[in-house]
Amino acid sequence: MYGDEEKQQLMDDLAEMETFKVDVGDEGKILQEDLRKFFIEGEGGRKDLIFRLELYFYAFKLFCRRSVRIERNQFIIYLNDSLLDYHLINLVKNDLTDFELEIEAVSENNEVLINLNFTINF
């Protein structure tokens, strides 16, 4: 059973989730195009893309526990959480439509955490 304080906190959290909107403008589509150029044509800088990916996911309150990894035809986001908000993931998927998303649960330091693996096929 929840106490009055816990109930109020849950109601506040629910109200925040219902009104939560992320406005990254066109950054997701621009980032996707730059990632495509990097993977397909070898254009662009890896460090710049890693920085932009981390900022992009930070805007969705999806925090990384370690640096994004880019290799071959994929990039991996190492989330610092064991729970995913479907609404947020759906917003990301709407921006990164050229990528397939695989959600992976991993055990790290006796915790279950989530990795997001994005792959582009060309």
Side-chain angles (χ1 to χ4, degrees):
M1 201 74 193
Y2 292 108
D4 289 339
E5 249 181 67
E6 292 171 311
K7 285 180 188 175
Q8 186 58 47
Q9 182 62 44
L10 287 170
M11 293 305 291
D12 292 345
D13 291 347
L14 180 60
E16 180 183 340
M17 287 189 325
E18 288 175 348
T19 60
F20 183 72
K21 300 229 183 305
V22 175
D23 182 14
V24 291
D26 293 331
E27 178 57 25
K29 293 297 180 187
I30 294 167
L31 182 57
Q32 175 175 259
E33 190 57 35
D34 290 346
L35 285 163
R36 285 181 54 79
K37 287 178 185 175
F38 179 80
F39 287 123
I40 297 170
E41 301 165 15
E43 293 180 17
R46 180 183 304 267
K47 287 183 181 181
D48 175 61
L49 289 171
I50 288 171
F51 179 71
R52 289 174 54 202
L53 282 164
E54 289 173 355
L55 285 178
Y56 175 77
F57 280 87
Y58 182 80
F60 288 98
K61 297 185 180 180
L62 295 169
F63 305 109
C64 298
R65 68 184 185 276
R66 70 173 91 135
S67 187
V68 172
R69 189 171 81 198
I70 295 178
E71 58 184 34
R72 290 182 294 223
N73 65 334
Q74 70 176 356
F75 65 91
I76 303 170
I77 306 295
Y78 299 94
L79 292 182
N80 194 27
D81 207 341
S82 59
L83 300 173
L84 279 181
D85 182 334
Y86 174 77
H87 174 69
L88 295 178
I89 294 302
N90 203 38
L91 290 172
V92 170
K93 284 174 46 180
N94 288 340
D95 277 349
L96 303 176
T97 56
D98 291 347
F99 290 84
E100 293 178 23
L101 170 61
E102 177 185 321
I103 300 171
E104 174 186 31
V106 296
S107 178
E108 197 171 288
N109 298 327
N110 294 324
E111 290 184 76
V112 175
L113 298 169
I114 295 174
N115 296 340
L116 303 177
N117 302 323
F118 290 87
T119 305
I120 187 168
N121 297 308
F122 52 91

